[in-house]
Amino acid sequence: MAWETIIGLEIHAQLATQSKIFSGAATAYGAEANTQACAVDLGLPGVLPVLNKEAVRMAIMFGLAINAEIPSRSVFARKNYFYPDLPKGYQISQYELPIVSRGSIDITLGNGETKTIGVTRAHLEEDAGKSVHEGFGNLTGIDLNRAGTPLIEIVSEPDMRSAKEAVAYMKKIHAIVTYLGICDGNMQEGSFRCDANVSVRPRGEKKFGTRTELKNLNSFRFVEAAINYEVERQIDVIESGGKVIQETRLYDANKNETRSMRSKEEANDYRYFPDPDLLPIEIEKKIINEIKQSLPELPDAMKRRFIEEYHLSEYDADNLTAGPALALFFETTVQHSGGEPKLSANWVMGEVAAALNRENKDYNQSPIKGEMLGGLIKRIKDNTISSNIAKEVFTAMWNGEGSADEIIEKKGLKQVTDSDAIEKMVDEVIAESPQQVEQYKNSPPEKQGKLIGFFVGQIMKKSKGKANPKQVNELLKNKLAD
Amino acid sequence: MYNKTLAELSQALQQRDTSSEELTGMYLQRCRQFMDKLNCFVTLTEEHAMAQARAADKKIQAGKAGPLTGIPMVHKDIFCTNGIKTSCGSRMLDNFIAPYDATVVRQLDDAGMVMLGKTNMDEFAMGSSNETSYYGPVLNPWDPDRVPGGSSGGSAAVVAARLTPMATGTDTGGSIRQPASLCGITGLKPTYGRVSRYGMIAFASSLDQGGPMTRTAEDAALVLNAMAGFDEHDSTSANEPVEDYTSQLENPLEGLKIGLPVEYFDERLNPDISRIIHDGIAELKKLGASIHEINLPSSKLSIPVYYVVAPAECSSNLARYDGVRFGYRCDDPRDLNDLYCRSRGEGFGREVKRRVLIGTYVLSAGYYDAYYLKAQKIRRLIRNEFQQALKEVDVIIGPTAPGTAFKLNELIDDPINMYLSDIYTVSINLAGLPAISVPAGMLNGLPVGMQIIGDYFSEARLLNVAHRFQQATDWHQHQPAEYK
């Protein structure tokens, strides 16, 4: 039977405010346990939450970026449940009246088509603390530094039909929140994480199948792997005559499998009700318009501009606008490359991406800045160096040995374009390789192209890679034809 | 000296007829003398008080004193005090010492008041008799066999017995006004949001309001001047200008329109109480007020609505007492669930558990609409009826409580009738209005309070009416014989 997969995502993005959503405590990551939790975060008796306006502004920015409605009134609600890392015994969240309702984003599919994914809502809430299971024997430690950190939970419509679409959607949301500067997007630190609702149904069926919720997918790779595993699992269950149970499942990245956490019956009754400690958020149209005016260029607009302005392919433009640091890096490179967007794109997505990847760094942490890379590309463009030599220069630049020009100068890497010098080397190689010359001359033209590589290689060796390959090729062809 | 009102003591201090140290020493002496008999204190803070008194005297000598500087007072043990135990009348918080002051504590501290101690109260302010306290019941100074009312029973008893001229209280459904009525003192519940709730341990957040408990309306006005105001730490505190609440005290009552809700004076009201309240109203009439019958048809629903809304909020507010971070923790928990169940089972008393259970029930899936949501709708109705009535009249007057102080153990196993002792007070909390209870008569040797209800932020008007009433009557000067 042919199956169709239905996926909806709930993304939690941590808002990049200085202080917590309902207290003045700092939100910085990595501080010593419980040093960034004040009386409000600890849920001490008598203390009260006071809303951080910056978190509201950021949530509105997100809503505007996905063309959503921003209702004039939204309400905080308490989500009640007991857990040791939930200090008050309830989480302040939003339930019936969220700050952002009904928006959408476009994703690009593998075949280049565009698909619109609906966003049901996005609401503000506070994060819980963290249970620490290591270092306390058979006890559990509690770190409340994260308690009260502002989040927006972004809930999609069940519009995605494959793990790949889900990842594309998640990447798009990631790009939007990082472009807006409202989330640092750091998935390892948990600033951007996701739960996936997954179900399958026979192709053509209108009714949704029973869904499971996959928890805590903290990388794009895990989202894809977890969904693919879960889809297979659900199909297996149904095809072997069983029924999918509505439950929450945890993805285990080490084993690449999902495991049951709790069933629907065991689920909490959260007893949501409006939080009487907080007034409803009232938002004037004027404020919304002000925020709208202040929005930065967003990934879709930037992508279109890259295609128009730099004549990049849809694919390149899509990749280069995946994150604000990358896009900025690319644009800086182009500006300093002497008008070489395509070459810049190749280098940014090629050498730079690979080097950053090796060292697990982001574009804004690159030891080679866009200005410097542009300087290198300029020298490829004006034939000062070849692409191969450029790689050597790049490595030296990465290691902090100076600018492209400095390195080319210092190491004497300037390309040899003096045709007399090249001709001399060509003559020498031909003289040193009578056998290969014989073979070349006896070969049909379609094979000669391949054989000429030998001579080019020898000459490049002689010139230590500095001979202009185009000139070498032309000279060789002429000489060997004689 | 201990019989003087706060206003009189203030004057004596300004004129250097006495010092704060002298006053504080005298009142502490009375506290020590009577506290065991009344069981009115959870904590007596003698050293703290003497230090504050000395600081107040310095301020007075330096000419930097305000009207409250150097005046002894007590806080209900629901207000968090930095470095001093705040129990909320519960075993759960018997070991709790807050690292911060409630805004009200800070305000009165800033005004130079001297805290003598912290008063006993119904556990987490849930009760109308002070019998639910972990520390045992407070006794009524008028009759040791009777309750002082609740939940601010300790504060009411302290003021009635002249152990201080003033105490703070909190009022969620009548917890300032009902004990004021039962102990023969003046108790003001301000408009919801007039006084900050920060550091005041929450029972039901949308209803809780702190206020002064004093001997006279004038004293209440002096204290409210220091307590009222917007607090950036409390989002629900009102960003409304604060008046000088003493400025209108002497205004004449000519033209005052008094509304009498027919529902408050129906056949169910004890005829003796009815007579006393009508006598009180007659006094106000003599002062130029006119009387108008009004209708508050939904008021009969106020008790059921209150006992949905208040427990719902309390079930959530009290979830933080889980034995994990502070407060009572059971011995040797087997696992997490055991830690929760026994810490809460052993740390909370019966009334608190009853309300947590009711509140959890009314918020549960499948019951929310039928209970919580419906209660909120009726709450709006009650509020609208009051607002409508207050367009016609300036104040609404009725009894504070359906009877005088009842006997210890009389209602403790009868929650319904216990809840009904707040029948005239809870609707005011549901509407968020201000109201004051003033002594208006005596019945079989026990005081009876009259409740004056006003429009939002009309505290100055309420205090004016109460003050003029107290100028014309002497019920507020009656005092329990044993404490003369």
Side-chain angles (χ1 to χ4, degrees), chain A residues 29-44:
Chain A
Y29 178 82
E32 195 187 324
N34 296 312
T35 56
Q36 287 182 173
C38 67
V40 173
D41 307 319
L42 294 172
L44 291 183

Side-chain angles (χ1 to χ4, degrees), chain A residues 234-391:
Chain A
Q234 289 187 12
I235 292 171
D236 280 353
V237 167
I238 299 168
E239 288 188 339
S240 57
K243 269 189 176 162
V244 174
I245 304 162
Q246 186 173 340
E247 61 184 352
T248 303
R249 297 178 71 85
L250 200 66
Y251 177 67
D252 182 338
N254 294 323
K255 294 182 181 161
N256 187 30
E257 62 178 29
T258 64
R259 277 198 307 271
S260 179
M261 242 173 93
R262 58 171 179 265
S263 74
K264 190 187 170 192
E265 284 68 35
E266 297 165 78
N268 281 308
D269 175 357
Y270 290 121
R271 291 172 281 122
Y272 280 100
F273 74 106
D275 192 330
D277 285 336
L278 290 159
L279 302 176
I281 310 175
E282 312 269 358
I283 301 160
E284 293 169 43
K285 278 269 176 307
K286 200 183 98 202
I287 303 285
I288 296 177
N289 286 333
E290 274 170 28
I291 296 175
K292 203 178 252 171
Q293 296 308 315
S294 73
L295 288 186
E297 188 178 27
L298 289 166
D300 279 351
M302 192 178 271
K303 178 181 155 187
R304 282 192 300 276
R305 181 166 64 78
F306 280 13
I307 294 171
E308 275 172 35
E309 202 173 314
Y310 301 129
H311 307 289
L312 294 179
S313 69
E314 175 100 16
Y315 177 84
D316 283 354
D318 214 36
N319 278 322
L320 287 168
T321 52
L326 162 60
L328 177 68
F329 190 96
F330 165 71
E331 288 219 86
T332 315
T333 305
V334 175
Q335 279 159 23
H336 292 81
S337 71
E340 279 299 305
K342 178 60 191 162
L343 204 50
S344 296
N346 292 347
W347 274 84
V348 170
M349 292 185 294
E351 294 299 314
V352 179
L356 289 172
N357 213 10
R358 270 196 300 277
E359 298 188 10
N360 206 5
K361 283 182 172 152
D362 196 9
Y363 283 89
N364 50 16
Q365 301 166 308
S366 171
I368 299 182
K369 305 294 166 205
E371 291 87 341
M372 296 165 69
L373 183 67
L376 175 65
I377 289 166
K378 206 184 238 170
R379 294 298 161 247
I380 302 170
K381 171 77 190 318
D382 67 11
N383 281 325
T384 307
I385 51 173
S386 68
S387 295
N388 271 330
I389 290 292
K391 284 179 187 161

Side-chain angles (χ1 to χ4, degrees), chain A residues 39-51 78 80-90 96 142 144 269-279, chain B residues 80 93 96 99-100 192 197-201 205-206 232-236 312-313 315-317 319-322 324-326 336 340 344 360 363-365 368 372:
Chain A
V40 173
D41 307 319
L42 294 172
L44 291 183
V47 300
L48 295 169
V50 176
L51 179 60
R78 294 185 183 176
N80 295 284
Y81 65 97
F82 284 98
Y83 206 70
D85 64 20
L86 187 71
K88 297 186 293 298
Y90 58 84
E96 281 178 336
I142 305 292
L144 294 176
D269 175 357
Y270 290 121
R271 291 172 281 122
Y272 280 100
F273 74 106
D275 192 330
D277 285 336
L278 290 159
L279 302 176
Chain B
C80 289
L93 292 179
F96 177 68
Y100 44 85
Y192 180 79
R197 294 189 296 115
Y198 183 82
M200 190 179 109
I201 297 178
S205 312
S206 74
E232 60 177 10
H233 297 299
D234 175 4
S235 315
T236 63
E313 293 182 14
S315 71
S316 177
N317 282 334
R320 68 189 61 198
Y321 308 109
D322 57 4
V324 174
R325 297 166 315 287
F326 55 82
L336 183 60
Y340 285 152
R344 289 170 67 79
T360 304
L363 288 176
S364 296
Y368 181 88
Y372 184 78

Side-chain angles (χ1 to χ4, degrees), chain A residues 447-469:
Chain A
K447 281 206 175 162
Q448 285 179 340
K450 209 172 174 186
L451 289 168
I452 205 166
F454 165 78
F455 301 100
V456 175
Q458 293 299 308
I459 292 160
M460 294 315 275
K461 215 173 181 178
K462 253 188 204 305
S463 74
K464 300 200 173 77
K466 289 185 288 185
N468 182 313

